[in-house]
Amino acid sequence: MKLVRLTVQNFRCYSDPFEIEFDELTALIGQNDVGKSALMDALAVFFGEAKLDRDDGSKNGDPKNIQITCEFDDLPQEIILDADYPTNLENEHMLNQRGNLEIRKTYNGDLVTPKESAIEVLAMHPSAEHYNDLLSLKRTELKARAEELGVDLTDVPTNKNAPMREAIWNHADDLLPQIAIIPIESEGGKQVYSAIFEFIEAAFNHVT
């Protein structure tokens, strides 16, 4: 995976959303104290190489809502989820409108010890009723949803969540995809994030 875009908000001098794109070689040029180092420090926080302190929240913004968003391309063609079942981020509807993986981390910087409050994926995700929440469902709930919708699971391994999600999504006439916020803490979202974590770490090593 390769980092292609960084967006920060409410972080140090960046109270409004500020976006920078990365190429094979990217140079940050500007006068002192205009926020060049802040962008690299934001990346270090996102990738877990540094921690926030209480002075990192923007004085002119909302320090309780520090957001650092990283977008990646050159994504893995295959990821392994439960019980060694291969899938990919496109099948899981976790790519944004540019076909990239976009992860947003939110922090409460108003605490004595700032803490991460959310990890989310911003993606073109199904919005159709009964098809928009599959990543949050457990295995028994997915089976129940499939039965409710009349999805044939005869040839689908029902001891794995990913193929059941795929079968249910494929059953829809129109998934009505639209930009959605997918919490990583959710059942399937957490699985996917765990599966791509090593690729995310490699992306940070590429940047540095």
Side-chain angles (χ1 to χ4, degrees), residues 1-8 17-24 26 28 39-40 42-43 46-47 67-75 95-105 122 200 203-204 206-207:
M1 279 179 17
K2 183 174 66 176
L3 178 69
V4 293
R5 186 174 285 102
L6 165 70
T7 306
V8 296
F18 181 84
E19 179 182 294
I20 181 172
E21 295 186 7
F22 293 91
D23 209 329
E24 292 299 328
T26 302
L28 302 179
L39 295 174
M40 301 309 296
L43 283 176
F46 180 93
F47 287 103
Q67 294 187 337
I68 304 174
T69 306
C70 286
E71 184 175 333
F72 305 89
D73 71 0
D74 195 18
L75 305 172
L95 301 180
N96 65 14
Q97 64 269 44
R98 291 180 287 270
N100 295 334
L101 174 65
E102 188 172 356
I103 301 174
R104 182 175 70 191
K105 295 187 177 183
L122 283 65
I200 293 173
F204 178 72
H206 178 78
V207 172

Side-chain angles (χ1 to χ4, degrees), residues 126 128-134 137 140-153 164-175:
E129 188 177 5
H130 304 305
Y131 298 93
N132 57 355
D133 61 347
L134 301 190
L137 301 184
T140 55
E141 295 170 327
L142 285 168
K143 290 180 183 178
R145 180 65 58 82
E147 183 177 354
E148 176 188 352
L149 296 173
V151 179
D152 184 7
L153 296 180
M164 284 197 289
R165 286 195 296 267
E166 185 174 359
I168 296 171
W169 279 322
N170 288 339
H171 180 75
D173 293 328
D174 189 350
L175 291 171

Side-chain angles (χ1 to χ4, degrees), residues 39-56:
L39 295 174
M40 301 309 296
D41 291 342
L43 283 176
V45 170
F46 180 93
F47 287 103
E49 298 294 319
K51 294 183 178 181
L52 287 172
D53 61 47
R54 200 171 184 181
D55 294 329
D56 285 330

Side-chain angles (χ1 to χ4, degrees), residues 23 28 31 35 47 71 84 107 123 135 138 148 158 161 167 175 180 182 200-201:
D23 209 329
L28 302 179
Q31 297 178 346
F47 287 103
E71 184 175 333
D84 295 331
Y107 307 83
L135 281 170
K138 298 179 180 179
E148 176 188 352
T158 55
N161 292 6
L175 291 171
I182 305 170
I200 293 173
E201 287 186 316

Side-chain angles (χ1 to χ4, degrees), residues 84-113:
D84 295 331
Y85 182 81
T87 183
N88 57 58
L89 295 171
E90 182 178 10
N91 287 348
E92 295 295 331
H93 300 279
M94 295 188 76
L95 301 180
N96 65 14
Q97 64 269 44
R98 291 180 287 270
N100 295 334
L101 174 65
E102 188 172 356
I103 301 174
R104 182 175 70 191
K105 295 187 177 183
T106 303
Y107 307 83
N108 185 346
D110 200 38
L111 303 174
V112 174
T113 303

Side-chain angles (χ1 to χ4, degrees), residues 178-205:
Q178 65 180 31
I179 284 293
I181 299 172
I182 305 170
I184 290 299
E185 293 83 359
S186 65
E187 184 79 8
K190 185 176 182 179
Q191 278 187 320
V192 174
Y193 189 72
S194 297
I196 63 175
F197 187 76
E198 63 181 278
F199 298 101
I200 293 173
E201 287 186 316
F204 178 72
N205 292 332

